[in-house]
Amino acid sequence: MFRLSRYMKDLVATPESAATPQRRPVLLGSGPVVIWNLIRRCNLTCRHCYSSSADTDFAGELTTAEVFRVMDDLKDAGVGVLILSGGEPLLRPDIHIIGARAKALGFYVGLSSNGTLMDAAAVGAIADTGYDYVGISLDGMRETHDIFRRRAGAFDASLAGLRACRTAGIKTGLRFTITEHTARDLPRLLDLAAEEAVDKLYFSHLNYAGRGNHNRAEDAHHRLTRSVMDTILDRCLADTLAGSGREYVTGNNDADALYMLRWAEKRFPARLARLEQTLRRWGGNASGVGIANIDNLGIVHPDTMWWTHALGSVRDRRFGDIWADTSDPLMAGLKQRPRPVSGRCGQCRHLAICNGNTRTRAYQLTGDPWAEDPGCYLTDAEIGLTAAPAPRIQVLPFGATPRPAPITGAASLSGLTGGEVRP
Ligand code: SF4
């Protein structure tokens, strides 16, 4: 997760007003940010959903009492931020009881929703619960969004939900997944965010997991990604200079930080060294370290895109014990610094900033979680490769089984295939 508006603010600040952005603001606590998929059921079936949700109940989900007990464990593990998600979390009848309990325990609590179920009663309950932030997903303007969400009228319903939250004084944000089919709507979506005075924009690069995996061919091409990032950076700069206070965050591609560095080279040459220094402090991809995921069955994963890899169940072990356990080879590698990455990532001069980006993508395409990230859209020159790059990864057709990867360095692959939690 790259909070680019934080770095943009620092770029344009006067020397007197500049405050060095910190990797972990105090409110985050010492533990990871936990994205908690409390329910898998969803009233929509979005094309890029990582959890392959459906409008049906799933058996074995955590009960209210279990959620409460796990929350105590999370508190003990130093977790400060909970993002309550789904499926569609508003379909869980006890969602606001859970939210209220989380607030009472002192967590920063976000609610991540598709927004379509936010009628007056739901928004009233959201306001009463006191969520710190509500994120609503829009994947473009009306036509594009409804196609992606596979529901006519979904855009209007989500926008109405967003407006109702804003009217109720709730901090709101828009979540936008970038693909080659949604990218063309980005400028109008940015306009909409300004018109609706949303507090935050979250841009997610399409990752290769869940239903997104089947749509791999729809991922934005690298050139398009660069163009999208130019648009986001330029708009963020304009917003920052105008003092809007709107936050811009990107996810699922930590190379965005390097792209911002390259973007700033021409515009803020005198601030470049400082930006590079602060980005090093940020440190790039945080899966398995600063970001955690608990799924609807209580299985812990290194992040939301690693649902194929189970670290353990909060029904069997305390969260803090699961999270600290580096006997799991993937977790050992994710927590290692630098990570044991190979290919372009291993040779990249910016590894200390990016931290090897999104390991799920490498694993999904090659079977090796430490291979280079195929989602990196920087050129060889931009990552400082002077010699011939390592052989490119083998791109497999849909449904093909990744070939076994060689066991290298501190991390092996043992255990990576034993953690399936999905049928
Ligand atoms: S080559 Fe790898 S480490 Fe370097 S910027 Fe790209 S994804 Fe990040």
Side-chain angles (χ1 to χ4, degrees):
M1 190 177 294
F2 178 54
R3 300 176 190 280
L4 74 86
S5 48
R6 184 180 294 175
Y7 300 98
M8 190 69 79
K9 207 170 162 191
D10 191 55
L11 269 182
V12 305
T14 59
E16 308 81 59
S17 65
T20 306
Q22 299 297 314
R23 176 170 178 123
R24 293 187 70 78
V26 175
L27 91 94
L28 293 184
S30 57
V33 170
V34 173
I35 300 163
W36 199 344
N37 300 95
L38 287 165
I39 180 171
R40 193 166 166 190
R41 180 172 194 154
C42 187
N43 58 321
L44 302 179
T45 50
C46 305
R47 295 172 72 180
H48 47 62
C49 177
Y50 65 81
S51 63
S52 300
S53 297
D55 196 0
T56 183
D57 287 326
F58 289 84
E61 298 190 327
L62 296 179
T63 65
T64 312
E66 286 177 315
V67 168
F68 282 11
R69 185 185 55 70
V70 173
M71 258 187 226
D72 292 337
D73 287 353
L74 294 172
K75 202 71 198 166
D76 290 345
V79 171
V81 179
L82 292 181
I83 308 298
L84 306 183
S85 184
E88 171 48 52
L90 293 180
L91 285 174
R92 195 165 162 137
D94 59 356
I95 184 65
H96 301 309
I97 298 170
I98 292 170
R101 160 96 177 181
K103 284 301 298 172
L105 286 173
F107 290 105
Y108 176 100
V109 189
L111 183 71
S112 188
S113 167
N114 63 41
T116 58
L117 301 175
M118 290 185 178
D119 56 16
V123 172
I126 290 168
D128 291 344
T129 304
Y131 295 98
D132 294 282
Y133 168 73
V134 173
I136 293 175
S137 304
L138 281 185
D139 288 318
M141 301 307 285
R142 185 173 289 104
E143 189 187 349
T144 309
H145 179 84
D146 287 0
I147 290 171
F148 258 69
R149 299 275 151 170
R150 305 191 215 228
R151 168 80 58 89
F155 177 87
D156 290 333
S158 296
L159 188 57
L162 176 85
R163 286 174 174 161
C165 286
R166 292 285 304 139
T167 303
I170 300 163
K171 180 179 178 181
T172 56
L174 283 178
R175 302 168 57 84
F176 177 70
T177 300
I178 306 162
T179 75
E180 62 183 349
H181 298 299
T182 62
R184 65 172 182 263
D185 285 4
L186 176 62
R188 283 189 294 155
L189 196 90
L190 289 164
D191 291 344
L192 180 72
E195 287 159 19
E196 300 293 334
V198 304
D199 302 292
K200 185 172 175 177
L201 283 160
Y202 176 81
F203 305 96
S204 174
H205 295 267
L206 186 66
N207 215 332
Y208 302 110
R211 195 172 289 130
N213 192 31
H214 299 293
N215 285 347
R216 188 178 299 156
E218 294 184 12
D219 195 0
H221 294 151
H222 294 172
R223 191 180 297 176
L224 182 64
T225 305
R226 297 170 74 94
S227 158
V228 161
M229 285 305 296
D230 285 337
T231 302
I232 292 171
L233 286 160
D234 289 345
R235 192 67 71 99
C236 179
L237 173 61
D239 258 10
T240 305
L241 290 172
S244 79
R246 195 163 8 266
E247 296 171 53
Y248 287 68
V249 182
T250 68
N252 296 332
N253 205 321
D254 302 276
D256 292 348
L258 283 321
Y259 196 76
M260 181 180 190
L261 197 62
R262 178 196 157 281
W263 173 92
E265 206 172 346
K266 297 174 205 140
R267 294 161 180 85
F268 301 94
R271 292 292 183 102
L272 210 59
R274 178 181 164 89
L275 177 61
E276 184 165 357
Q277 192 183 29
T278 52
L279 291 176
R280 275 177 191 275
R281 198 172 300 120
W282 163 66
N285 185 271
S287 301
V289 182
I291 301 278
N293 172 245
I294 305 175
D295 72 21
N296 58 316
L297 304 178
I299 308 293
V300 179
H301 308 279
D303 70 23
T304 52
M305 296 300 168
W306 273 111
W307 270 32
T308 51
H309 189 77
L311 300 173
S313 169
V314 291
R315 283 184 165 125
D316 303 330
R317 294 174 76 194
R318 301 192 68 192
F319 174 84
D321 294 337
I322 296 172
W323 198 245
D325 187 353
T326 50
S327 65
D328 178 281
L330 179 64
M331 281 298 267
L334 290 175
K335 284 184 156 74
Q336 190 176 314
R337 193 105 190 165
R339 287 176 173 168
V341 289
S342 60
R344 295 176 89 238
C345 293
Q347 298 171 324
C348 176
R349 72 172 156 151
H350 299 302
L351 181 58
I353 293 178
C354 173
N355 204 21
N357 212 339
T358 304
R359 299 290 91 220
T360 312
R361 273 193 293 257
Y363 178 64
Q364 291 271 339
L365 286 183
T366 69
D368 178 2
W370 310 116
E372 65 190 26
D373 183 348
C376 179
Y377 56 92
L378 302 182
T379 65
D380 286 352
E382 286 167 342
I383 63 169
L385 287 188
T386 50
R392 299 292 299 185
I393 53 157
Q394 177 193 11
V395 178
L396 302 174
F398 295 144
T401 305
R403 58 180 159 69
I407 299 172
T408 54
S412 76
L413 275 177
S414 60
L416 266 179
T417 54
E420 292 287 333
V421 293
R422 300 285 151 226

